[in-house]
């Protein structure tokens, strides 16, 4: 479990391709400090398990399904990544509950600069659009953010916006994202539970009337 508060900007050190998986080595001295084999570290919002470690790097296996769903398939040596260690029980929850189980990717559609912030607009697939609400929480490349604006439900191409303060722009990879790039998205777990409950309730209602 994570909070979406990025602890460190790391870099991909090495990528080893297998038949249906990738072994990823990431350099992040803070993230790896105190880490043991089997611990979880969020890499751009994807929960990965440490299988090897050195003083300032850790290695994790990324399965084919994760590669298909995330931007880690495009990672190579030198790629910057957002890193967060698993949350400590009893600590402050500075962001929101982030599982590290991403729902897919979104494309950066527009960047609007402001005096002290920057507004980023991202695409939303039809499957994820119902799970994102105005002023709700969302994790973008593992960063806990508040949705500042969403597209009207009548628009055929759905999107959402987030407003980034200077700290977020400098402390995460989002400050260097450009239009056309893709990011990992994890919607709010509460929204996913509600969607499942409504789907089951609707299915039960249909059975009772058949």
């Amino acid at each position: 479990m994570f909070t979406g508060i990025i602890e460190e900007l790391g870099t991909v050190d090495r990528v080893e391709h297998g038949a249906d998986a990738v072994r990823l080595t990431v350099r992040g001295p803070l993230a790896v400090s105190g880490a043991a084999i089997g611990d979880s570290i969020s890499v751009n919002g994807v929960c990965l398990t440490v299988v090897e470690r050195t003083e300032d790097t850790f290695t994790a296996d990324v399965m084919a399904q994760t590669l298909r769903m995330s931007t880690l398939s495009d990672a190579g040596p030198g790629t910057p990544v957002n890193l967060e260690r698993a949350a400590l029980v009893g600590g402050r929850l500075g962001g929101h509950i982030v599982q590290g189980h991403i729902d897919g990717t979104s494309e950066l559609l527009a960047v609007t600069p402001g005096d002290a912030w920057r507004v980023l607009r991202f695409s939303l697939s039809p499957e994820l659009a119902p799970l994102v609400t105005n002023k709700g929480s969302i994790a973008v490349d593992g960063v806990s953010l508040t949705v500042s604006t969403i597209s009207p439900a009548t628009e055929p191409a759905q999107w959402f916006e987030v407003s980034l303060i200077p700290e977020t722009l400098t402390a995460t990879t989002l400050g260097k994202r450009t239009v056309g790039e893709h990011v990992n998205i994890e919607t709010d777990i509460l929204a996913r539970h509600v969607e499942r409950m409504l789907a089951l309730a609707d299915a039960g209602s249909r059975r009772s009337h058949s």
Side-chain angles (χ1 to χ4, degrees), residues 152-165:
T154 54
E155 283 199 21
Q158 292 286 293
W159 50 264
F160 73 94
E161 290 182 347
V162 291
S163 299
L164 306 184
I165 61 174

Side-chain angles (χ1 to χ4, degrees), residues 43-44 46 69-71 102 104-105 139-142 182-186:
V43 180
N44 273 1
V46 181
M69 291 186 63
S70 74
T71 59
I102 67 165
T105 63
V140 179
D141 271 352
H182 286 76
V183 295
N184 297 319
I185 296 294
E186 181 183 333

Side-chain angles (χ1 to χ4, degrees), residues 34-129:
I37 305 302
D39 283 355
S40 297
I41 296 177
S42 171
V43 180
N44 273 1
V46 181
C47 178
L48 298 180
T49 300
V50 176
V51 296
E52 294 178 3
R53 60 154 296 180
T54 67
E55 193 172 298
D56 56 1
T57 70
F58 68 92
T59 299
D61 292 318
V62 187
M63 299 297 100
Q65 181 182 9
T66 303
L67 293 171
R68 286 194 299 269
M69 291 186 63
S70 74
T71 59
L72 292 185
S73 58
D74 299 322
T79 298
V81 289
N82 297 319
L83 301 178
E84 181 192 356
R85 293 169 292 183
L88 291 171
V89 175
R92 293 184 178 90
L93 183 62
H96 71 283
I97 296 174
V98 179
Q99 292 184 298
H101 304 156
I102 67 165
D103 297 301
T105 63
S106 291
E107 180 183 355
L108 179 55
L109 301 176
V111 177
T112 305
D115 291 337
W117 64 86
R118 193 177 302 167
V119 177
L120 274 59
R121 177 177 292 191
F122 294 98
S123 65
L124 265 179
S125 67
E127 296 79 17
L128 297 185

